[in-house]
Short mmCIF file of all heavy atoms in Angstrom, two decimals:
data_model
loop_
_atom_site.label_atom_id
_atom_site.label_comp_id
_atom_site.label_asym_id
_atom_site.label_seq_id
_atom_site.Cartn_x
_atom_site.Cartn_y
_atom_site.Cartn_z
N ARG A 107 -51.11 -15.43 -38.41
CA ARG A 107 -51.96 -16.62 -38.21
C ARG A 107 -53.28 -16.55 -38.89
O ARG A 107 -53.84 -17.49 -39.50
CB ARG A 107 -52.18 -16.86 -36.68
CG ARG A 107 -50.95 -17.51 -35.92
CD ARG A 107 -51.33 -17.80 -34.60
NE ARG A 107 -50.34 -18.69 -33.91
CZ ARG A 107 -50.53 -19.17 -32.69
NH1 ARG A 107 -51.61 -18.90 -31.96
NH2 ARG A 107 -49.58 -20.00 -32.17
N ARG A 108 -53.87 -15.31 -38.82
CA ARG A 108 -55.16 -15.15 -39.40
C ARG A 108 -55.03 -15.11 -40.97
O ARG A 108 -55.92 -15.54 -41.69
CB ARG A 108 -55.88 -13.85 -38.95
CG ARG A 108 -56.36 -13.94 -37.56
CD ARG A 108 -57.68 -13.05 -37.44
NE ARG A 108 -57.74 -12.33 -36.22
CZ ARG A 108 -58.66 -11.45 -35.95
NH1 ARG A 108 -59.57 -11.15 -36.83
NH2 ARG A 108 -58.63 -10.72 -34.81
N VAL A 109 -53.90 -14.58 -41.50
CA VAL A 109 -53.62 -14.55 -42.88
C VAL A 109 -53.53 -15.99 -43.45
O VAL A 109 -54.09 -16.31 -44.50
CB VAL A 109 -52.33 -13.79 -43.21
CG1 VAL A 109 -51.92 -13.93 -44.65
CG2 VAL A 109 -52.44 -12.33 -42.84
N ALA A 110 -52.91 -16.89 -42.68
CA ALA A 110 -52.65 -18.26 -43.04
C ALA A 110 -53.90 -19.15 -42.82
O ALA A 110 -53.90 -20.31 -43.29
CB ALA A 110 -51.49 -18.83 -42.39
N HIS A 111 -54.88 -18.71 -42.06
CA HIS A 111 -55.91 -19.55 -41.59
C HIS A 111 -56.74 -20.20 -42.73
O HIS A 111 -57.11 -21.40 -42.57
CB HIS A 111 -56.84 -18.79 -40.65
CG HIS A 111 -57.93 -19.60 -40.04
ND1 HIS A 111 -57.72 -20.73 -39.27
CD2 HIS A 111 -59.34 -19.51 -40.14
CE1 HIS A 111 -58.86 -21.28 -38.85
NE2 HIS A 111 -59.87 -20.54 -39.41
N SER A 112 -57.01 -19.44 -43.75
CA SER A 112 -57.85 -19.99 -44.83
C SER A 112 -57.14 -21.20 -45.52
O SER A 112 -57.79 -22.18 -45.85
CB SER A 112 -58.16 -18.92 -45.84
OG SER A 112 -56.96 -18.31 -46.40
N ALA A 113 -55.80 -21.04 -45.72
CA ALA A 113 -55.09 -22.12 -46.37
C ALA A 113 -55.04 -23.38 -45.41
O ALA A 113 -55.20 -24.52 -45.90
CB ALA A 113 -53.68 -21.71 -46.68
N ARG A 114 -54.83 -23.10 -44.21
CA ARG A 114 -54.72 -24.27 -43.20
C ARG A 114 -56.10 -24.97 -43.13
O ARG A 114 -56.23 -26.18 -42.98
CB ARG A 114 -54.20 -23.74 -41.88
CG ARG A 114 -52.76 -23.45 -41.85
CD ARG A 114 -52.27 -22.73 -40.64
NE ARG A 114 -50.79 -22.65 -40.70
CZ ARG A 114 -50.08 -21.67 -40.08
NH1 ARG A 114 -50.74 -20.80 -39.29
NH2 ARG A 114 -48.80 -21.64 -40.22
N THR A 115 -57.19 -24.15 -43.11
CA THR A 115 -58.53 -24.71 -43.03
C THR A 115 -58.80 -25.51 -44.29
O THR A 115 -59.38 -26.64 -44.19
CB THR A 115 -59.56 -23.58 -42.84
OG1 THR A 115 -59.33 -22.94 -41.62
CG2 THR A 115 -60.94 -24.20 -42.85
N ALA A 116 -58.40 -25.05 -45.46
CA ALA A 116 -58.59 -25.73 -46.70
C ALA A 116 -57.99 -27.08 -46.67
O ALA A 116 -58.56 -28.15 -47.04
CB ALA A 116 -58.09 -24.93 -47.87
N ALA A 117 -56.75 -27.15 -46.16
CA ALA A 117 -56.01 -28.46 -46.00
C ALA A 117 -56.74 -29.30 -45.03
O ALA A 117 -56.88 -30.52 -45.30
CB ALA A 117 -54.57 -28.15 -45.58
N ALA A 118 -57.25 -28.76 -43.97
CA ALA A 118 -57.97 -29.58 -42.96
C ALA A 118 -59.30 -30.12 -43.53
O ALA A 118 -59.69 -31.20 -43.03
CB ALA A 118 -58.22 -28.74 -41.72
N THR A 119 -59.85 -29.53 -44.51
CA THR A 119 -61.07 -30.05 -45.13
C THR A 119 -60.74 -31.17 -46.11
O THR A 119 -61.65 -31.87 -46.54
CB THR A 119 -61.87 -29.05 -45.96
OG1 THR A 119 -61.14 -28.63 -47.06
CG2 THR A 119 -62.17 -27.79 -45.09
N GLY A 120 -59.49 -31.39 -46.35
CA GLY A 120 -59.05 -32.49 -47.22
C GLY A 120 -58.55 -32.04 -48.63
O GLY A 120 -58.14 -32.85 -49.45
N ALA A 121 -58.59 -30.67 -48.85
CA ALA A 121 -58.16 -30.18 -50.22
C ALA A 121 -56.67 -30.54 -50.42
O ALA A 121 -55.82 -30.31 -49.60
CB ALA A 121 -58.40 -28.69 -50.29
N LYS A 122 -56.39 -30.91 -51.62
CA LYS A 122 -55.02 -31.27 -52.07
C LYS A 122 -54.45 -30.12 -52.99
O LYS A 122 -53.25 -30.14 -53.20
CB LYS A 122 -54.95 -32.63 -52.83
CG LYS A 122 -55.53 -33.76 -52.01
CD LYS A 122 -54.71 -33.96 -50.71
CE LYS A 122 -55.27 -35.14 -49.86
NZ LYS A 122 -54.62 -35.27 -48.57
N VAL A 123 -55.34 -29.37 -53.56
CA VAL A 123 -54.91 -28.27 -54.46
C VAL A 123 -55.39 -26.97 -53.90
O VAL A 123 -56.63 -26.81 -53.52
CB VAL A 123 -55.42 -28.49 -55.89
CG1 VAL A 123 -55.15 -27.27 -56.77
CG2 VAL A 123 -54.76 -29.71 -56.49
N MET A 124 -54.58 -25.95 -53.80
CA MET A 124 -54.96 -24.60 -53.31
C MET A 124 -54.64 -23.65 -54.46
O MET A 124 -53.58 -23.53 -54.98
CB MET A 124 -54.09 -24.18 -52.14
CG MET A 124 -54.45 -22.89 -51.58
SD MET A 124 -55.80 -22.93 -50.38
CE MET A 124 -56.85 -21.54 -50.90
N ILE A 125 -55.82 -22.97 -54.95
CA ILE A 125 -55.61 -21.97 -56.03
C ILE A 125 -55.75 -20.60 -55.36
O ILE A 125 -56.81 -20.31 -54.76
CB ILE A 125 -56.61 -22.15 -57.13
CG1 ILE A 125 -56.51 -23.50 -57.76
CG2 ILE A 125 -56.54 -21.07 -58.15
CD1 ILE A 125 -57.57 -23.84 -58.79
N LEU A 126 -54.73 -19.80 -55.51
CA LEU A 126 -54.67 -18.46 -54.94
C LEU A 126 -54.66 -17.40 -56.06
O LEU A 126 -53.85 -17.44 -56.91
CB LEU A 126 -53.40 -18.26 -54.09
CG LEU A 126 -53.22 -19.23 -52.88
CD1 LEU A 126 -51.85 -19.15 -52.29
CD2 LEU A 126 -54.29 -18.94 -51.82
N THR A 127 -55.65 -16.50 -56.00
CA THR A 127 -55.76 -15.48 -57.01
C THR A 127 -55.74 -14.09 -56.34
O THR A 127 -56.05 -14.00 -55.16
CB THR A 127 -57.03 -15.62 -57.87
OG1 THR A 127 -58.19 -15.32 -57.02
CG2 THR A 127 -57.15 -17.02 -58.43
N ASN A 128 -55.32 -13.13 -57.15
CA ASN A 128 -55.29 -11.74 -56.61
C ASN A 128 -55.32 -10.75 -57.76
O ASN A 128 -55.20 -11.10 -58.92
CB ASN A 128 -53.98 -11.52 -55.77
CG ASN A 128 -52.76 -11.76 -56.60
OD1 ASN A 128 -52.47 -11.14 -57.67
ND2 ASN A 128 -51.88 -12.69 -56.16
N GLY A 129 -55.54 -9.48 -57.34
CA GLY A 129 -55.40 -8.39 -58.27
C GLY A 129 -54.10 -7.67 -57.94
O GLY A 129 -53.82 -7.46 -56.73
N ALA A 130 -53.21 -7.45 -58.89
CA ALA A 130 -51.88 -6.92 -58.63
C ALA A 130 -51.43 -5.90 -59.70
O ALA A 130 -51.99 -5.76 -60.78
CB ALA A 130 -50.96 -8.09 -58.55
N GLY A 131 -50.31 -5.32 -59.39
CA GLY A 131 -49.67 -4.33 -60.34
C GLY A 131 -48.63 -5.11 -61.16
O GLY A 131 -47.92 -5.95 -60.67
N GLY A 132 -48.55 -4.71 -62.42
CA GLY A 132 -47.57 -5.32 -63.29
C GLY A 132 -46.36 -4.47 -63.47
O GLY A 132 -46.47 -3.23 -63.68
N ILE A 133 -45.15 -5.08 -63.58
CA ILE A 133 -43.94 -4.35 -63.82
C ILE A 133 -43.56 -4.42 -65.33
O ILE A 133 -43.01 -3.51 -65.78
CB ILE A 133 -42.82 -4.89 -62.92
CG1 ILE A 133 -43.12 -4.64 -61.43
CG2 ILE A 133 -41.47 -4.31 -63.30
CD1 ILE A 133 -42.13 -5.21 -60.47
N ARG A 134 -43.93 -5.52 -65.93
CA ARG A 134 -43.60 -5.60 -67.38
C ARG A 134 -44.54 -4.67 -68.16
O ARG A 134 -45.70 -4.74 -68.14
CB ARG A 134 -43.84 -7.06 -67.86
CG ARG A 134 -42.74 -8.03 -67.37
CD ARG A 134 -42.87 -9.40 -68.00
NE ARG A 134 -41.78 -10.26 -67.66
CZ ARG A 134 -41.89 -11.55 -67.41
NH1 ARG A 134 -43.11 -12.13 -67.48
NH2 ARG A 134 -40.84 -12.33 -67.16
N GLU A 135 -43.84 -3.85 -68.91
CA GLU A 135 -44.59 -2.82 -69.73
C GLU A 135 -45.42 -3.46 -70.80
O GLU A 135 -46.40 -2.83 -71.28
CB GLU A 135 -43.63 -1.83 -70.32
CG GLU A 135 -42.91 -0.96 -69.24
CD GLU A 135 -41.98 0.10 -69.86
OE1 GLU A 135 -42.22 0.38 -71.00
OE2 GLU A 135 -41.18 0.62 -69.09
N SER A 136 -45.12 -4.73 -71.22
CA SER A 136 -45.95 -5.34 -72.25
C SER A 136 -47.28 -5.87 -71.75
O SER A 136 -48.19 -6.14 -72.50
CB SER A 136 -45.12 -6.55 -72.81
OG SER A 136 -44.84 -7.54 -71.76
N TRP A 137 -47.45 -5.95 -70.42
CA TRP A 137 -48.70 -6.37 -69.80
C TRP A 137 -49.71 -5.25 -69.85
O TRP A 137 -49.38 -4.09 -69.67
CB TRP A 137 -48.48 -6.87 -68.40
CG TRP A 137 -47.78 -8.19 -68.33
CD1 TRP A 137 -47.53 -9.06 -69.38
CD2 TRP A 137 -47.15 -8.77 -67.21
NE1 TRP A 137 -46.85 -10.18 -68.89
CE2 TRP A 137 -46.61 -10.06 -67.58
CE3 TRP A 137 -47.03 -8.38 -65.85
CZ2 TRP A 137 -45.92 -10.88 -66.70
CZ3 TRP A 137 -46.41 -9.26 -64.95
CH2 TRP A 137 -45.84 -10.49 -65.36
N LYS A 138 -50.94 -5.61 -69.95
CA LYS A 138 -52.03 -4.66 -69.99
C LYS A 138 -53.04 -4.90 -68.84
O LYS A 138 -53.20 -6.03 -68.39
CB LYS A 138 -52.88 -4.74 -71.31
CG LYS A 138 -51.96 -4.63 -72.54
CD LYS A 138 -51.29 -3.27 -72.63
CE LYS A 138 -50.41 -3.16 -73.97
NZ LYS A 138 -49.64 -1.87 -73.99
N PRO A 139 -53.69 -3.79 -68.34
CA PRO A 139 -54.69 -4.02 -67.32
C PRO A 139 -55.81 -5.00 -67.82
O PRO A 139 -56.23 -4.94 -68.94
CB PRO A 139 -55.29 -2.61 -67.14
CG PRO A 139 -54.16 -1.69 -67.44
CD PRO A 139 -53.42 -2.40 -68.57
N GLY A 140 -56.19 -5.99 -66.94
CA GLY A 140 -57.13 -6.93 -67.33
C GLY A 140 -56.53 -8.26 -67.76
O GLY A 140 -57.23 -9.21 -68.07
N GLN A 141 -55.23 -8.32 -67.74
CA GLN A 141 -54.52 -9.50 -68.22
C GLN A 141 -54.20 -10.46 -67.03
O GLN A 141 -53.66 -10.06 -66.08
CB GLN A 141 -53.17 -9.13 -68.95
CG GLN A 141 -52.34 -10.35 -69.43
CD GLN A 141 -51.16 -9.84 -70.15
OE1 GLN A 141 -51.03 -8.68 -70.65
NE2 GLN A 141 -50.21 -10.75 -70.38
N PRO A 142 -54.59 -11.74 -67.16
CA PRO A 142 -54.23 -12.74 -66.13
C PRO A 142 -52.82 -13.27 -66.40
O PRO A 142 -52.45 -13.55 -67.54
CB PRO A 142 -55.27 -13.83 -66.32
CG PRO A 142 -55.62 -13.78 -67.78
CD PRO A 142 -55.45 -12.35 -68.15
N VAL A 143 -52.06 -13.50 -65.38
CA VAL A 143 -50.74 -14.06 -65.48
C VAL A 143 -50.53 -15.11 -64.37
O VAL A 143 -51.11 -15.04 -63.31
CB VAL A 143 -49.59 -13.06 -65.42
CG1 VAL A 143 -49.67 -12.06 -66.57
CG2 VAL A 143 -49.58 -12.27 -64.09
N LEU A 144 -49.81 -16.14 -64.61
CA LEU A 144 -49.43 -17.11 -63.65
C LEU A 144 -48.28 -16.68 -62.74
O LEU A 144 -47.41 -15.97 -63.19
CB LEU A 144 -49.04 -18.41 -64.36
CG LEU A 144 -50.10 -19.16 -65.23
CD1 LEU A 144 -49.41 -20.24 -66.06
CD2 LEU A 144 -51.16 -19.77 -64.31
N ILE A 145 -48.35 -17.07 -61.48
CA ILE A 145 -47.28 -16.82 -60.60
C ILE A 145 -46.32 -17.98 -60.63
O ILE A 145 -46.68 -19.13 -60.35
CB ILE A 145 -47.74 -16.57 -59.11
CG1 ILE A 145 -48.73 -15.42 -59.09
CG2 ILE A 145 -46.63 -16.37 -58.15
CD1 ILE A 145 -49.38 -15.23 -57.77
N SER A 146 -45.02 -17.73 -61.00
CA SER A 146 -44.07 -18.78 -61.15
C SER A 146 -43.26 -18.95 -59.78
O SER A 146 -42.66 -20.01 -59.55
CB SER A 146 -43.12 -18.53 -62.27
OG SER A 146 -42.46 -17.31 -62.10
N ASP A 147 -43.11 -17.84 -59.02
CA ASP A 147 -42.38 -17.86 -57.80
C ASP A 147 -42.75 -16.57 -57.04
O ASP A 147 -43.49 -15.72 -57.57
CB ASP A 147 -40.91 -17.92 -58.12
CG ASP A 147 -40.04 -18.47 -56.95
OD1 ASP A 147 -40.57 -18.59 -55.82
OD2 ASP A 147 -38.89 -18.82 -57.21
N HIS A 148 -42.25 -16.43 -55.87
CA HIS A 148 -42.48 -15.21 -55.15
C HIS A 148 -41.31 -14.65 -54.35
O HIS A 148 -40.33 -15.42 -54.14
CB HIS A 148 -43.78 -15.33 -54.21
CG HIS A 148 -43.54 -15.95 -52.94
ND1 HIS A 148 -44.30 -16.99 -52.45
CD2 HIS A 148 -42.59 -15.75 -51.95
CE1 HIS A 148 -43.91 -17.37 -51.28
NE2 HIS A 148 -42.81 -16.68 -50.91
N ILE A 149 -41.32 -13.43 -54.09
CA ILE A 149 -40.38 -12.78 -53.13
C ILE A 149 -41.19 -12.18 -51.99
O ILE A 149 -42.10 -11.35 -52.26
CB ILE A 149 -39.56 -11.70 -53.83
CG1 ILE A 149 -38.71 -12.33 -54.97
CG2 ILE A 149 -38.62 -11.00 -52.86
CD1 ILE A 149 -38.05 -11.27 -55.90
N ASN A 150 -40.93 -12.58 -50.76
CA ASN A 150 -41.75 -12.20 -49.66
C ASN A 150 -41.08 -11.08 -48.92
O ASN A 150 -40.02 -11.21 -48.29
CB ASN A 150 -41.88 -13.38 -48.70
CG ASN A 150 -42.55 -13.09 -47.37
OD1 ASN A 150 -43.18 -11.97 -47.21
ND2 ASN A 150 -42.43 -13.93 -46.38
N LEU A 151 -41.64 -9.87 -49.09
CA LEU A 151 -41.01 -8.66 -48.41
C LEU A 151 -41.80 -8.22 -47.17
O LEU A 151 -41.66 -7.04 -46.82
CB LEU A 151 -40.96 -7.50 -49.43
CG LEU A 151 -40.02 -7.71 -50.66
CD1 LEU A 151 -39.95 -6.48 -51.47
CD2 LEU A 151 -38.64 -8.08 -50.19
N THR A 152 -42.60 -9.10 -46.60
CA THR A 152 -43.29 -8.76 -45.37
C THR A 152 -42.47 -8.79 -44.16
O THR A 152 -42.86 -8.36 -43.10
CB THR A 152 -44.48 -9.67 -45.22
OG1 THR A 152 -44.04 -11.03 -44.93
CG2 THR A 152 -45.44 -9.72 -46.39
N ALA A 153 -41.29 -9.48 -44.28
CA ALA A 153 -40.43 -9.72 -43.10
C ALA A 153 -41.14 -10.63 -42.06
O ALA A 153 -40.92 -10.50 -40.91
CB ALA A 153 -39.88 -8.41 -42.41
N ASP A 154 -42.04 -11.53 -42.56
CA ASP A 154 -42.79 -12.37 -41.66
C ASP A 154 -42.92 -13.70 -42.37
O ASP A 154 -42.66 -13.87 -43.59
CB ASP A 154 -44.10 -11.75 -41.33
CG ASP A 154 -44.59 -12.15 -39.95
OD1 ASP A 154 -44.12 -13.19 -39.40
OD2 ASP A 154 -45.42 -11.43 -39.35
N SER A 155 -43.41 -14.74 -41.61
CA SER A 155 -43.68 -16.05 -42.16
C SER A 155 -44.75 -16.69 -41.35
O SER A 155 -44.91 -16.47 -40.16
CB SER A 155 -42.43 -16.98 -42.05
OG SER A 155 -42.70 -18.26 -42.40
N PRO A 156 -45.63 -17.51 -41.98
CA PRO A 156 -46.60 -18.26 -41.24
C PRO A 156 -46.08 -19.44 -40.48
O PRO A 156 -46.76 -20.00 -39.61
CB PRO A 156 -47.63 -18.74 -42.35
CG PRO A 156 -46.75 -18.85 -43.52
CD PRO A 156 -45.70 -17.73 -43.44
N LEU A 157 -44.82 -19.78 -40.78
CA LEU A 157 -44.11 -20.97 -40.10
C LEU A 157 -43.77 -20.54 -38.67
O LEU A 157 -43.20 -19.46 -38.50
CB LEU A 157 -43.00 -21.50 -40.87
CG LEU A 157 -43.25 -21.74 -42.35
CD1 LEU A 157 -41.96 -22.34 -42.96
CD2 LEU A 157 -44.41 -22.68 -42.42
#
Side-chain angles (χ1 to χ4, degrees):
R107 282 183 167 188
R108 288 214 221 173
V109 174
H111 182 60
S112 57
R114 288 173 173 153
T115 297
T119 69
K122 302 301 182 186
V123 172
M124 183 86 226
I125 299 177
L126 298 169
T127 67
N128 59 57
I133 295 178
R134 286 188 175 143
E135 294 184 18
S136 60
W137 288 346
K138 305 298 182 185
Q141 180 174 343
V143 298
L144 296 167
I145 299 175
S146 60
D147 204 344
H148 80 230
I149 298 170
N150 173 15
L151 295 184
T152 67
D154 211 338
S155 171
L157 308 183

